[in-house]
């Protein structure tokens, strides 16, 4: 289990989070989920993903605040590639500002997400 890599899915919409998690697990990834940015930072305290799938618009701590906090952590946390999944109109501009590896807009094609994750993890 988990031989394909470790992915943290940060998404507050249960149906999207469950779908992405199930597909990634079926593809052999080890997956953890977080409901918002604060939850994701808690996950990072004891588990290191190879890649993060991040929604931008979430309660408690949104994707922008999470990415800012992640980049400020010491120890190379800023080098974990982030794929933004967002329905926000300004998602690409925000993603560029946050220096993420890729951006997919909702609704997204799951095959595009899988190909993006595979490509980014091959580089790592």
């Amino acid at each position: 289990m988990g031989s394909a890599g470790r992915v943290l899915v940060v998404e507050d919409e249960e149906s999207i989070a469950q779908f992405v998690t199930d597909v990634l697990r079926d593809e052999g990834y080890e997956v953890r989920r977080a409901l918002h940015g604060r939850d994701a930072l808690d996950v990072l305290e004891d588990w290191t993903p190879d890649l993060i799938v991040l929604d931008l618009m979430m309660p408690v701590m949104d994707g922008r605040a999470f990415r800012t906090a992640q980049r400020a952590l010491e120890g190379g946390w800023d080098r974990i590639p982030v794929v933004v999944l967002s329905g926000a109109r300004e998602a690409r501009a925000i993603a560029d500002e946050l220096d993420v590896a890729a951006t997919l807009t909702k609704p997204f094609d799951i095959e595009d997400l899988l190909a993006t994750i595979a490509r980014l993890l091959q580089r790592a």
Side-chain angles (χ1 to χ4, degrees):
M1 178 180 174
S3 62
R6 302 170 108 194
V7 179
L8 174 59
V9 176
V10 188
E11 170 64 64
D12 64 317
E13 285 186 53
E14 176 61 30
S15 60
I16 294 173
Q18 191 62 55
F19 174 65
V20 171
T21 298
D22 289 346
V23 170
L24 289 174
R25 285 185 176 147
D26 287 348
E27 293 292 317
Y29 294 97
E30 181 181 341
V31 183
R32 299 261 177 108
R33 287 176 45 189
L35 296 173
H36 49 72
R38 181 69 249 162
D39 195 21
L41 289 173
D42 290 343
V43 169
L44 294 181
E45 288 181 12
D46 61 14
W47 190 75
T48 304
D50 299 311
L51 183 135
I52 298 170
V53 175
L54 178 67
D55 185 17
L56 290 179
M57 298 171 60
M58 297 175 290
V60 182
M61 177 185 269
D62 66 15
R64 179 183 281 178
F66 166 77
R67 179 67 174 148
T68 301
Q70 177 212 359
R71 291 171 72 190
L73 293 172
E74 293 184 16
W77 293 100
D78 59 323
R79 291 191 298 270
I80 297 171
V82 173
V83 176
V84 165
L85 279 184
S86 182
R89 205 173 292 129
E90 65 280 358
R92 291 202 189 278
I94 294 170
D96 287 345
E97 166 192 325
L98 298 176
D99 189 31
V100 298
T103 306
L104 297 174
T105 55
K106 294 178 184 175
F108 61 94
D109 182 298
I110 193 65
E111 294 301 324
D112 289 344
L113 178 61
L114 290 173
T116 300
I117 290 171
R119 177 178 46 84
L120 292 170
L121 290 180
Q122 280 182 336
R123 285 189 202 163

